[in-house]
Amino acid sequence: MAMVQPRSIRTRKLGAHLALLGFVTLVVFPLLLVISISFREGNFATGSLIPERFSLEHWALAFGIPWERPDGTVVQPPFPVMLWLWNSIKVAVVSSLMILALSTTSAYAFARMRFSGKAPILKGMLIFQMFPAVLSLVALYALFDRLGQLVPWLGINTHGSLILASLGAVALHIWTIKGYFESIDGSLEEAAMVDGASTWQAFRHILLPLSVPILVVVFILAFIMSIMEYPMASVLLLDEDKLTLAVGAQQYLAEHNQRWGDFAAAAVLSGLPITLVFLFCQRWIVGGLTSGGVKG
Amino acid sequence: MFITNASRGLPRHRSRHPAERYTRWALRALTVLLVLATLWLVVAFHLRGQWMFSLLFLVLGASLAIVFGKRELMSHRYIFPALAGMGVFVIFPLVYTIGISFSNYSSSNLLSEERVRAQFLDQTYQAEGQAFDFQLYREGDRTRLYLDAKGAGDLEGTRQLVSRPLAQAEAGQPLAVEPAQAAPPGEALGIREVIALRDRLQGLTLVTPDGTELKMAGLRSFAPILPRFEANPDGSLTDLRDGTILTPNQETGFFVTEDGERLTPGWPVSVGLDNYTKIFTDPDIRGPFLQIFVWTFVFAGLTVVFTLAVGFLLASLLQWEQLKGKAIYRTLLILPYAVPAFISILIFKGMFNQNYGEINLILENLFGISPNWFTDPALARSMLLIVNTWLGYPYMLLLCMGLIQSIPRDLYEASAVDGGGPLTNLFRITLPLILKPLTPLLIAAFAFNFNNFVLIALLTEGSPDILGASTPAGTTDLLVSYTYRIAFQDAGQNFGLAAAIATMIFLLVVGLSVLNLRLSKVKV
């Protein structure tokens, strides 16, 4: 590479830096603003990015601690944010574990075994994966409404129904894990089977230990998707203490009672961990998404 | 790739380890339990007359029994759970939705015909003509009701009734009354004391020896409660109050009187293509529907164009080898992708707020304008596109970066040797090479934004509304959010109409995904 660069390249570089910096400002501004607002006093305070009147009121309320203002009035937390976060995590962990179990076993069969109907099933899964759940909400609602009359813990307004409903979205994960399994040489399993291992044992004791990284990634992917799931949760959950974060958070900005400051604290509190997890795993997540096109 | 021994029909291998044999038996027991549980659901749904659900679980249970019962289907056991999940929660809802679209299923036609009939037969009325005057008589600490038939009306010849002491009435249990010749002993209470006991009396149900129930009908009277409808052998109902006959109408799904008046609730019946013709002929639905249909295409198309333009531009900049600090730029630039959408959309909802939002504050200070982002249709639409571009460009950025990286470097070197500038490189090398692998992903992004329900639901909820629409319809509604509002937010909850629109979106999505499979040439 040439060490001496013509002047035109240097101005172009400067221009590129300026353009990128400008764009980064646009992108980061809303996020910094929310952090700033969460520390401002009052719900509608305006001002510079660095709060002039610093207050931890919104943060205390987000953690569910009543806050005493200087004038002696005690403000109660408007919404049970921690409970919502806990609901979200509970639903996400259980459903991701179930999704992981379902998709790992089927990915194994798709990657290693030969059986009738394999190609059409795989193709069909790709097509059905593109149907958004929003469109079948009426049917899902009817299904869980009726099911709830027979099995109460699977009815409307239960976390069981939400977990169960998420089990339909496995196609993408099956494809991801299948791709990984196919990249592992099958000779180890064959050797095990020659020595008398059953199909299940070869899978359980040979292939699974080799695939821990992809299992972790798929678990995190399913976890994030479940945390962010909105349409089904908004129809299946009714009571305030049952809501997940995705459904509950919008109540802060309801039409007639907007709590901008309280929302900011709750948003940072709940959004930050998810953002960090996402950034940490983005390499694998992006790989999975380019093959499926789920978020965009 | 292998075929399992079981699928080949080779004999079962008997394990030497007892633990393994126990696991096998445990698995078999579990399968049997699951099959029994689904069978129970089949029977229960069948008894309730919900044949669709009964059939669903019958298919589920039968396939479970077959796949785990036949050894030759060993490979299918591995894929069965995932397929069952997709079948019950993706494919069944799809089929069910299409089924609903041919019915009048809505909040007024919700229950089955038997349940509606039972509901009518459970209805009662207070026969005012047979009312009794009442008085309270207190004797020591015992208070009794004394009922005396008012006017000509009586209850099968009984004119006077005396109740057991009120103190014996248990909550929720009727209090017995018996025929009497005269008022019970003790003193009659004045109206003031009756009023003091009113709440108590209103909650009271009296029951005569022959089972007729009486309830308080006024401050001075109790009246018997009689069933309002009587079932006739031909399936019709007779209103016992005035003798009108109600006949079930299987075309509209309602009980109707002789002069055609409908009684709610009704039950769902098939209405053929009515919902579809309504979309295209009813002017109050057709107008908003077409407007929303066009806007949905515009929104999805423009989103793809904008996000791709921004993403591609940034990707080209970040590919420049001589630029420093690329890693930091990259991390900051994909931040919108990492923040959960339901949080960033709400952040924008606050920022665009017309009264205290930061965006209007800045615009006010700089240019002295304060746009109505949520009440002006054009501005609301621009806001959606701005927010969605912010949310969506990182995906395109990542895609473009990956694709540009896979272009062989020597192509650019050859171009440089031949004197090609950056623009030639862009149009002759980069774009042609990334467009082909990008197309299926762009179609997927289009389909995703076509159905971008979360954005609309959290940011504008479809507002501002379209005037003159008979269903809830807004100028920023997409087809999916429109469907959702018809089904879940409208007072009428017209599930049939919503399902008809959903079915039409299904067809579009099928078209898109088949196109997508063709273009990406998925190798299975």
Side-chain angles (χ1 to χ4, degrees), chain B residues 258-300:
Chain B
E258 280 131 34
D259 26 313
E261 197 193 332
R262 288 175 178 184
L263 266 83
T264 50
W267 59 95
V269 291
S270 164
V271 293
L273 288 170
D274 265 17
N275 287 317
Y276 294 92
T277 47
K278 222 193 273 173
I279 296 173
F280 291 108
T281 53
D282 184 343
D284 289 343
I285 297 178
R286 186 185 53 193
F289 174 78
L290 286 181
Q291 196 181 333
I292 291 170
F293 188 81
V294 172
W295 161 241
T296 307
F297 269 91
V298 171
F299 170 79

CSV table of all heavy atoms in Angstrom, one decimal, chain B residues 258-300:
chain,number,residue,atom,x,y,z
B,258,GLU,N,-91.7,-13.9,14.8
B,258,GLU,CA,-92.5,-14.0,13.5
B,258,GLU,C,-92.3,-12.8,12.6
B,258,GLU,O,-92.3,-12.9,11.4
B,258,GLU,CB,-94.0,-14.2,13.8
B,258,GLU,CG,-94.3,-15.6,14.2
B,258,GLU,CD,-95.2,-15.7,15.5
B,258,GLU,OE1,-96.0,-14.8,15.7
B,258,GLU,OE2,-95.0,-16.7,16.2
B,259,ASP,N,-92.1,-11.6,13.2
B,259,ASP,CA,-91.9,-10.4,12.4
B,259,ASP,C,-90.5,-10.1,12.1
B,259,ASP,O,-90.1,-9.0,11.7
B,259,ASP,CB,-92.6,-9.2,12.9
B,259,ASP,CG,-92.8,-9.2,14.4
B,259,ASP,OD1,-93.2,-10.2,14.9
B,259,ASP,OD2,-92.5,-8.2,15.1
B,260,GLY,N,-89.6,-11.2,12.2
B,260,GLY,CA,-88.3,-11.1,11.7
B,260,GLY,C,-87.3,-10.4,12.6
B,260,GLY,O,-86.1,-10.2,12.3
B,261,GLU,N,-87.7,-10.1,13.9
B,261,GLU,CA,-86.7,-9.5,14.8
B,261,GLU,C,-85.7,-10.5,15.4
B,261,GLU,O,-86.1,-11.6,15.7
B,261,GLU,CB,-87.5,-8.9,16.0
B,261,GLU,CG,-86.8,-7.9,16.7
B,261,GLU,CD,-87.5,-7.5,18.1
B,261,GLU,OE1,-88.7,-7.6,18.1
B,261,GLU,OE2,-86.8,-7.2,19.0
B,262,ARG,N,-84.4,-10.2,15.4
B,262,ARG,CA,-83.4,-11.1,15.8
B,262,ARG,C,-83.2,-11.0,17.4
B,262,ARG,O,-83.3,-9.9,17.9
B,262,ARG,CB,-82.1,-10.8,15.2
B,262,ARG,CG,-82.0,-11.1,13.8
B,262,ARG,CD,-80.7,-10.6,13.2
B,262,ARG,NE,-80.5,-11.0,11.9
B,262,ARG,CZ,-79.4,-10.8,11.2
B,262,ARG,NH1,-78.4,-10.1,11.7
B,262,ARG,NH2,-79.4,-11.1,9.9
B,263,LEU,N,-82.9,-12.1,18.0
B,263,LEU,CA,-82.6,-12.0,19.4
B,263,LEU,C,-81.1,-12.4,19.6
B,263,LEU,O,-80.7,-13.5,19.1
B,263,LEU,CB,-83.5,-13.0,20.2
B,263,LEU,CG,-84.7,-12.4,20.8
B,263,LEU,CD1,-85.8,-12.3,19.8
B,263,LEU,CD2,-85.2,-13.1,22.0
B,264,THR,N,-80.3,-11.6,20.2
B,264,THR,CA,-79.0,-12.0,20.5
B,264,THR,C,-78.9,-12.7,21.8
B,264,THR,O,-79.7,-12.5,22.7
B,264,THR,CB,-78.0,-10.7,20.6
B,264,THR,OG1,-78.7,-9.8,21.4
B,264,THR,CG2,-77.8,-10.1,19.2
B,265,PRO,N,-77.9,-13.6,22.1
B,265,PRO,CA,-76.9,-14.0,21.2
B,265,PRO,C,-77.3,-15.0,20.1
B,265,PRO,O,-78.3,-15.6,20.3
B,265,PRO,CB,-75.9,-14.6,22.1
B,265,PRO,CG,-76.7,-15.2,23.2
B,265,PRO,CD,-77.8,-14.2,23.4
B,266,GLY,N,-76.5,-15.1,19.1
B,266,GLY,CA,-76.8,-16.1,18.0
B,266,GLY,C,-75.6,-17.1,18.0
B,266,GLY,O,-74.8,-17.1,19.0
B,267,TRP,N,-75.6,-17.9,17.1
B,267,TRP,CA,-74.5,-18.9,17.0
B,267,TRP,C,-73.8,-18.8,15.6
B,267,TRP,O,-74.5,-18.3,14.7
B,267,TRP,CB,-75.0,-20.3,17.2
B,267,TRP,CG,-76.1,-20.8,16.3
B,267,TRP,CD1,-75.9,-21.5,15.2
B,267,TRP,CD2,-77.5,-20.5,16.4
B,267,TRP,NE1,-77.2,-21.6,14.6
B,267,TRP,CE2,-78.1,-21.0,15.3
B,267,TRP,CE3,-78.3,-19.8,17.3
B,267,TRP,CZ2,-79.5,-20.9,15.1
B,267,TRP,CZ3,-79.6,-19.7,17.1
B,267,TRP,CH2,-80.2,-20.2,16.0
B,268,PRO,N,-72.6,-19.3,15.4
B,268,PRO,CA,-71.9,-19.1,14.1
B,268,PRO,C,-72.5,-20.1,13.1
B,268,PRO,O,-72.7,-21.3,13.4
B,268,PRO,CB,-70.5,-19.5,14.4
B,268,PRO,CG,-70.4,-19.8,15.9
B,268,PRO,CD,-71.7,-19.9,16.4
B,269,VAL,N,-72.8,-19.6,11.9
B,269,VAL,CA,-73.2,-20.4,10.8
B,269,VAL,C,-72.4,-20.0,9.6
B,269,VAL,O,-71.8,-19.0,9.6
B,269,VAL,CB,-74.7,-20.2,10.5
B,269,VAL,CG1,-75.6,-20.7,11.6
B,269,VAL,CG2,-75.0,-18.8,10.2
B,270,SER,N,-72.4,-20.9,8.6
B,270,SER,CA,-71.6,-20.6,7.4
B,270,SER,C,-72.4,-19.6,6.6
B,270,SER,O,-73.6,-19.6,6.5
B,270,SER,CB,-71.5,-21.9,6.6
B,270,SER,OG,-71.1,-21.6,5.3
B,271,VAL,N,-71.6,-18.6,6.1
B,271,VAL,CA,-72.3,-17.5,5.3
B,271,VAL,C,-71.7,-17.5,3.9
B,271,VAL,O,-71.8,-16.6,3.2
B,271,VAL,CB,-72.1,-16.2,6.0
B,271,VAL,CG1,-72.9,-16.1,7.2
B,271,VAL,CG2,-70.6,-15.8,6.2
B,272,GLY,N,-71.0,-18.6,3.6
B,272,GLY,CA,-70.4,-18.7,2.2
B,272,GLY,C,-69.3,-17.6,2.0
B,272,GLY,O,-68.5,-17.3,2.9
B,273,LEU,N,-69.4,-16.9,0.9
B,273,LEU,CA,-68.4,-15.9,0.5
B,273,LEU,C,-68.8,-14.5,1.0
B,273,LEU,O,-68.2,-13.5,0.6
B,273,LEU,CB,-68.2,-15.9,-1.0
B,273,LEU,CG,-67.5,-17.2,-1.5
B,273,LEU,CD1,-67.5,-17.2,-3.1
B,273,LEU,CD2,-66.0,-17.2,-1.1
B,274,ASP,N,-69.8,-14.4,1.9
B,274,ASP,CA,-70.3,-13.1,2.3
B,274,ASP,C,-69.2,-12.1,2.7
B,274,ASP,O,-69.2,-11.0,2.3
B,274,ASP,CB,-71.3,-13.3,3.4
B,274,ASP,CG,-72.7,-13.3,2.9
B,274,ASP,OD1,-72.8,-13.5,1.6
B,274,ASP,OD2,-73.7,-13.1,3.7
B,275,ASN,N,-68.3,-12.7,3.6
B,275,ASN,CA,-67.3,-11.8,4.1
B,275,ASN,C,-66.4,-11.2,3.0
B,275,ASN,O,-66.0,-10.1,3.0
B,275,ASN,CB,-66.4,-12.5,5.1
B,275,ASN,CG,-67.1,-12.8,6.4
B,275,ASN,OD1,-67.8,-11.9,6.9
B,275,ASN,ND2,-67.0,-14.0,6.9
B,276,TYR,N,-66.1,-12.1,2.0
B,276,TYR,CA,-65.2,-11.6,0.9
B,276,TYR,C,-66.0,-10.6,0.0
B,276,TYR,O,-65.4,-9.6,-0.4
B,276,TYR,CB,-64.8,-12.8,0.0
B,276,TYR,CG,-63.9,-13.7,0.8
B,276,TYR,CD1,-64.4,-14.8,1.5
B,276,TYR,CD2,-62.5,-13.5,0.8
B,276,TYR,CE1,-63.5,-15.6,2.2
B,276,TYR,CE2,-61.7,-14.3,1.5
B,276,TYR,CZ,-62.2,-15.4,2.2
B,276,TYR,OH,-61.4,-16.2,2.9
B,277,THR,N,-67.3,-10.9,-0.3
B,277,THR,CA,-68.0,-9.9,-1.1
B,277,THR,C,-68.2,-8.6,-0.4
B,277,THR,O,-68.1,-7.5,-1.0
B,277,THR,CB,-69.4,-10.5,-1.5
B,277,THR,OG1,-70.0,-11.0,-0.4
B,277,THR,CG2,-69.3,-11.6,-2.6
B,278,LYS,N,-68.3,-8.7,1.0
B,278,LYS,CA,-68.5,-7.5,1.7
B,278,LYS,C,-67.2,-6.6,1.6
B,278,LYS,O,-67.3,-5.4,1.4
B,278,LYS,CB,-68.6,-7.8,3.2
B,278,LYS,CG,-69.7,-7.0,3.9
B,278,LYS,CD,-69.6,-7.2,5.4
B,278,LYS,CE,-70.5,-8.3,5.9
B,278,LYS,NZ,-70.3,-8.6,7.3
B,279,ILE,N,-66.0,-7.2,1.6
B,279,ILE,CA,-64.8,-6.4,1.5
B,279,ILE,C,-64.8,-5.6,0.1
B,279,ILE,O,-64.4,-4.5,0.1
B,279,ILE,CB,-63.6,-7.3,1.5
B,279,ILE,CG1,-63.5,-8.0,2.9
B,279,ILE,CG2,-62.3,-6.5,1.3
B,279,ILE,CD1,-62.4,-9.0,3.0
B,280,PHE,N,-65.4,-6.3,-0.9
B,280,PHE,CA,-65.2,-5.6,-2.2
B,280,PHE,C,-66.4,-4.8,-2.7
B,280,PHE,O,-66.4,-4.1,-3.6
B,280,PHE,CB,-64.9,-6.7,-3.3
B,280,PHE,CG,-63.5,-7.2,-3.1
B,280,PHE,CD1,-63.3,-8.5,-2.7
B,280,PHE,CD2,-62.4,-6.4,-3.3
B,280,PHE,CE1,-62.0,-9.0,-2.5
B,280,PHE,CE2,-61.1,-6.9,-3.1
B,280,PHE,CZ,-60.9,-8.2,-2.7
B,281,THR,N,-67.6,-5.0,-2.0
B,281,THR,CA,-68.8,-4.3,-2.4
B,281,THR,C,-69.3,-3.3,-1.4
B,281,THR,O,-69.8,-2.2,-1.8
B,281,THR,CB,-69.9,-5.3,-2.7
B,281,THR,OG1,-70.1,-6.1,-1.6
B,281,THR,CG2,-69.6,-6.1,-3.9
B,282,ASP,N,-69.2,-3.5,-0.1
B,282,ASP,CA,-69.7,-2.6,0.9
B,282,ASP,C,-68.8,-1.3,0.9
B,282,ASP,O,-67.6,-1.4,1.2
B,282,ASP,CB,-69.6,-3.2,2.3
B,282,ASP,CG,-70.2,-2.3,3.3
B,282,ASP,OD1,-70.4,-1.1,3.1
B,282,ASP,OD2,-70.6,-2.8,4.4
B,283,PRO,N,-69.3,-0.2,0.4
B,283,PRO,CA,-68.5,1.0,0.3
B,283,PRO,C,-67.8,1.4,1.6
B,283,PRO,O,-66.7,1.9,1.6
B,283,PRO,CB,-69.4,2.1,-0.2
B,283,PRO,CG,-70.8,1.6,0.0
B,283,PRO,CD,-70.7,0.1,0.1
B,284,ASP,N,-68.4,1.2,2.7
B,284,ASP,CA,-67.8,1.6,4.0
B,284,ASP,C,-66.6,0.7,4.4
B,284,ASP,O,-65.8,1.1,5.2
B,284,ASP,CB,-68.9,1.5,5.1
B,284,ASP,CG,-69.9,2.6,5.0
B,284,ASP,OD1,-69.6,3.6,4.3
B,284,ASP,OD2,-71.0,2.5,5.6
B,285,ILE,N,-66.5,-0.5,3.8
B,285,ILE,CA,-65.4,-1.3,4.1
B,285,ILE,C,-64.4,-1.3,2.9
B,285,ILE,O,-63.2,-1.2,3.1
B,285,ILE,CB,-65.9,-2.8,4.3
B,285,ILE,CG1,-66.8,-2.8,5.5
B,285,ILE,CG2,-64.7,-3.7,4.4
B,285,ILE,CD1,-67.3,-4.2,5.8
B,286,ARG,N,-65.0,-1.2,1.7
B,286,ARG,CA,-64.1,-1.3,0.5
B,286,ARG,C,-63.1,-0.1,0.5
B,286,ARG,O,-61.9,-0.2,0.3
B,286,ARG,CB,-64.9,-1.3,-0.8
B,286,ARG,CG,-64.1,-1.5,-2.0
B,286,ARG,CD,-64.9,-1.4,-3.3
B,286,ARG,NE,-65.7,-0.2,-3.3
B,286,ARG,CZ,-66.7,0.1,-4.1
B,286,ARG,NH1,-67.1,-0.8,-4.9
B,286,ARG,NH2,-67.4,1.2,-4.0
B,287,GLY,N,-63.7,1.1,0.7
B,287,GLY,CA,-62.8,2.3,0.7
B,287,GLY,C,-61.6,2.2,1.6
B,287,GLY,O,-60.5,2.2,1.1
B,288,PRO,N,-61.9,2.1,2.9
B,288,PRO,CA,-60.7,1.9,3.8
B,288,PRO,C,-59.8,0.8,3.5
B,288,PRO,O,-58.6,0.9,3.6
B,288,PRO,CB,-61.4,1.7,5.2
B,288,PRO,CG,-62.8,2.3,5.0
B,288,PRO,CD,-63.1,2.1,3.6
B,289,PHE,N,-60.4,-0.4,3.1
B,289,PHE,CA,-59.6,-1.5,2.8
B,289,PHE,C,-58.6,-1.3,1.7
B,289,PHE,O,-57.4,-1.5,1.8
B,289,PHE,CB,-60.5,-2.7,2.4
B,289,PHE,CG,-59.8,-3.9,2.0
B,289,PHE,CD1,-59.2,-4.8,2.9
B,289,PHE,CD2,-59.6,-4.2,0.7
B,289,PHE,CE1,-58.4,-5.9,2.6
B,289,PHE,CE2,-58.9,-5.4,0.3
B,289,PHE,CZ,-58.3,-6.2,1.2
B,290,LEU,N,-59.1,-0.7,0.6
B,290,LEU,CA,-58.2,-0.4,-0.5
B,290,LEU,C,-57.1,0.6,-0.1
B,290,LEU,O,-56.0,0.4,-0.5
B,290,LEU,CB,-59.0,0.1,-1.7
B,290,LEU,CG,-59.8,-0.9,-2.5
B,290,LEU,CD1,-60.6,-0.3,-3.6
B,290,LEU,CD2,-58.9,-2.1,-2.9
B,291,GLN,N,-57.5,1.6,0.6
B,291,GLN,CA,-56.6,2.6,1.1
B,291,GLN,C,-55.5,1.9,1.9
B,291,GLN,O,-54.3,2.2,1.7
B,291,GLN,CB,-57.3,3.7,1.9
B,291,GLN,CG,-56.5,4.9,2.1
B,291,GLN,CD,-57.2,5.9,3.0
B,291,GLN,OE1,-58.5,5.9,3.0
B,291,GLN,NE2,-56.5,6.8,3.7
B,292,ILE,N,-55.9,1.1,2.8
B,292,ILE,CA,-54.9,0.4,3.7
B,292,ILE,C,-54.1,-0.6,2.9
B,292,ILE,O,-52.8,-0.7,3.1
B,292,ILE,CB,-55.7,-0.4,4.8
B,292,ILE,CG1,-56.2,0.7,5.8
B,292,ILE,CG2,-54.7,-1.3,5.6
B,292,ILE,CD1,-57.2,0.1,6.8
B,293,PHE,N,-54.7,-1.2,1.9
B,293,PHE,CA,-54.0,-2.2,1.1
B,293,PHE,C,-52.8,-1.5,0.3
B,293,PHE,O,-51.7,-2.0,0.4
B,293,PHE,CB,-55.0,-2.8,0.1
B,293,PHE,CG,-54.5,-3.9,-0.7
B,293,PHE,CD1,-54.4,-5.2,-0.2
B,293,PHE,CD2,-54.0,-3.7,-2.0
B,293,PHE,CE1,-54.0,-6.3,-0.9
B,293,PHE,CE2,-53.5,-4.8,-2.8
B,293,PHE,CZ,-53.5,-6.0,-2.2
B,294,VAL,N,-53.2,-0.4,-0.3
B,294,VAL,CA,-52.1,0.4,-1.0
B,294,VAL,C,-51.0,0.8,-0.1
B,294,VAL,O,-49.8,0.7,-0.3
B,294,VAL,CB,-52.8,1.6,-1.8
B,294,VAL,CG1,-51.7,2.5,-2.4
B,294,VAL,CG2,-53.7,1.1,-2.8
B,295,TRP,N,-51.4,1.4,1.1
B,295,TRP,CA,-50.4,1.9,2.0
B,295,TRP,C,-49.5,0.8,2.5
B,295,TRP,O,-48.3,1.0,2.7
B,295,TRP,CB,-51.2,2.6,3.2
B,295,TRP,CG,-50.3,2.8,4.4
B,295,TRP,CD1,-50.6,2.3,5.6
B,295,TRP,CD2,-49.1,3.5,4.5
B,295,TRP,NE1,-49.6,2.6,6.5
B,295,TRP,CE2,-48.6,3.4,5.9
B,295,TRP,CE3,-48.3,4.2,3.6
B,295,TRP,CZ2,-47.5,4.0,6.3
B,295,TRP,CZ3,-47.1,4.8,4.1
B,295,TRP,CH2,-46.7,4.7,5.4
B,296,THR,N,-50.1,-0.4,2.7
B,296,THR,CA,-49.3,-1.5,3.2
B,296,THR,C,-48.1,-1.8,2.2
B,296,THR,O,-47.0,-2.0,2.6
B,296,THR,CB,-50.1,-2.8,3.4
B,296,THR,OG1,-51.2,-2.4,4.2
B,296,THR,CG2,-49.4,-3.9,4.0
B,297,PHE,N,-48.5,-1.8,0.9
B,297,PHE,CA,-47.5,-2.1,-0.1
B,297,PHE,C,-46.5,-1.0,-0.2
B,297,PHE,O,-45.2,-1.2,-0.2
B,297,PHE,CB,-48.1,-2.2,-1.5
B,297,PHE,CG,-48.5,-3.6,-1.9
B,297,PHE,CD1,-49.7,-4.2,-1.5
B,297,PHE,CD2,-47.5,-4.5,-2.4
B,297,PHE,CE1,-50.0,-5.5,-1.8
B,297,PHE,CE2,-47.8,-5.8,-2.7
B,297,PHE,CZ,-49.1,-6.3,-2.4
B,298,VAL,N,-47.0,0.3,-0.1
B,298,VAL,CA,-46.1,1.4,-0.2
B,298,VAL,C,-45.1,1.4,1.0
B,298,VAL,O,-43.9,1.5,0.9
B,298,VAL,CB,-46.9,2.8,-0.1
B,298,VAL,CG1,-45.9,3.9,0.0
B,298,VAL,CG2,-47.7,2.9,-1.4
B,299,PHE,N,-45.7,1.1,2.2
B,299,PHE,CA,-44.9,1.1,3.4
B,299,PHE,C,-43.8,0.0,3.3
B,299,PHE,O,-42.6,0.3,3.6
B,299,PHE,CB,-45.8,0.8,4.6
B,299,PHE,CG,-45.0,0.5,5.9
B,299,PHE,CD1,-44.5,1.6,6.7
B,299,PHE,CD2,-44.9,-0.8,6.3
B,299,PHE,CE1,-43.8,1.3,7.8
B,299,PHE,CE2,-44.2,-1.0,7.5
B,299,PHE,CZ,-43.7,0.0,8.2
B,300,ALA,N,-44.2,-1.2,3.0
B,300,ALA,CA,-43.2,-2.3,2.9
B,300,ALA,C,-42.1,-2.0,1.8
B,300,ALA,O,-40.9,-2.2,2.1
B,300,ALA,CB,-43.9,-3.6,2.6
